[in-house]
Amino acid sequence: MGTMSKVWISGANGRLGSAMNALLNKREYEILNTDVEEVDITNAEDVMTYGTMNRPGIIINCAGYTDLEGCESNPEKAYQVNALGARNISIVARKIGAKLIHISTDDVFDGEGHVPYGEFDRPTPKSVYGKSKLAGEQFVRDFAEKYMIIRSSWVYGEGENFVQDLLDAAKIKDTLRIANDQYASPTSSIELAKLVMHLMEISEYGLYHGTCSGSCSRYEFAKEVLKLAGVKVAVEPVPTKHADFTNARPAYTVLDNFMLRIATNYKMADWKAALEIYMKK
Ligand SMILES: NC(=O)c1ccc[n+]([C@@H]2O[C@H](COP(=O)([O-])OP(=O)(O)OC[C@H]3O[C@@H](n4cnc5c(N)ncnc54)[C@H](OP(=O)(O)O)[C@@H]3O)[C@@H](O)[C@H]2O)c1
């Protein structure tokens, strides 16, 4: 009998971690789930001990400090989790020969472009979140050997997210004011998890942009969510500074999944189709 591949999912309680658990076949993989309570990735020694004791063949780092405003007010924590955490996991991955799949973000771009960003475009983040995530990517490149970094955008899924916030707000407000000056590709956590699974099975290492195909403004995204949910509420397109969901975000961060196209031929689902599947659940 062959031994099952061991997969360590760090940040297992988050949106992507939950989606990974929903998708991964438990007969095929032995899954080791940890979140901050079990293994705080900012603790280098704990990360090393856990990794060397369990020796997973694959590590998926879904852990992150993803609160944008929190990152601005607490940059120390942002860099501890998003940068040093990624470093700690990379070091143990190298030591035990594990493949590391690390998740990053479109916020590494400043958002001032007008055409989709590819993996070979130079990132120049503006926010503390984006800067700390880029520092994390750099640590992965420096310390891990077999790694894949996936940059995604506007991820929604189980747990707190824009789709849920929007539906909650629609229950108590007459009019929703949504930013019409932010553009990206909404990506369902399930579609992102499917991509992670695809990359788990191949050895084309490196950096990937992994977002659902197509793009839209935050306003168009909101309209689509409300339409699919059958919720009738007035929606007003406004600039970010007047929007209800005021997360300061880069204006334009549409990503081109260029590497997926040239290296693996893997196609991500269309954002509207993926949203429809999510909303049905
Ligand atoms: N959501 C998006 O729009 C988006 C877009 C692009 C990329 N990403 C990236 O994708 C990854 C997964 O995102 P997500 O949406 O699943 O995020 P999430 O829902 O916020 O999940 C992150 C998980 O990591 C945990 N965590 C925080 N600090 C930790 C620590 N020191 N040690 C161990 N675990 C820790 C969090 O716990 P607590 O909740 O208790 O803090 C949470 O369970 C992140 O790296 C994020 O930067 C997200």
Side-chain angles (χ1 to χ4, degrees), residues 38 60 75 171 175 233:
E38 296 80 28
I60 305 169
K171 286 186 199 142
T175 306
V233 59

Side-chain angles (χ1 to χ4, degrees), residues 10-19 34-43 47 61-68 77 80-82 85 89 102-107 129 133 150-162 187 189 192 210-211 218 249 255:
S10 153
N13 298 347
R15 281 163 288 233
L16 178 61
S18 310
T34 65
D35 208 275
V36 65
E37 303 287 310
E38 296 80 28
V39 183
D40 179 344
I41 62 165
T42 66
N43 187 320
V47 171
N61 183 26
C62 308
Y65 184 37
T66 57
D67 172 351
L68 272 76
K77 180 172 175 188
Q80 274 168 346
V81 180
N82 295 336
I89 289 197
H102 173 78
I103 316 300
S104 191
T105 172
D106 57 332
D107 289 55
Y129 173 66
K133 290 294 291 182
I150 307 175
R151 291 184 185 142
S152 198
S153 71
W154 290 8
V155 178
Y156 58 88
E158 200 176 304
E160 202 219 324
N161 67 82
F162 176 70
T187 301
S189 58
L192 180 55
T211 60
R218 181 74 69 175
R249 295 204 63 118
L255 302 182

Side-chain angles (χ1 to χ4, degrees), residues 13-48:
N13 298 347
R15 281 163 288 233
L16 178 61
S18 310
M20 286 306 313
N21 269 280
L23 268 193
L24 280 177
N25 186 336
K26 312 266 175 346
R27 280 187 301 249
E28 233 172 289
Y29 297 102
E30 181 182 344
I31 301 169
L32 310 171
N33 284 312
T34 65
D35 208 275
V36 65
E37 303 287 310
E38 296 80 28
V39 183
D40 179 344
I41 62 165
T42 66
N43 187 320
E45 211 179 299
D46 285 359
V47 171
M48 181 56 79

Side-chain angles (χ1 to χ4, degrees), residues 39-113:
V39 183
D40 179 344
I41 62 165
T42 66
N43 187 320
E45 211 179 299
D46 285 359
V47 171
M48 181 56 79
T49 305
Y50 188 86
T52 48
M53 276 174 61
N54 291 290
R55 306 195 84 79
I58 299 174
I59 305 174
I60 305 169
N61 183 26
C62 308
Y65 184 37
T66 57
D67 172 351
L68 272 76
E69 274 133 31
C71 286
E72 293 301 321
S73 55
N74 193 349
E76 285 80 7
K77 180 172 175 188
Y79 278 88
Q80 274 168 346
V81 180
N82 295 336
L84 298 187
R87 179 201 63 183
N88 297 341
I89 289 197
S90 299
I91 291 172
V92 76
R94 187 187 198 106
K95 175 153 186 172
I96 62 178
K99 175 199 273 195
L100 171 62
I101 301 181
H102 173 78
I103 316 300
S104 191
T105 172
D106 57 332
D107 289 55
V108 298
F109 293 108
D110 60 18
E112 282 162 20

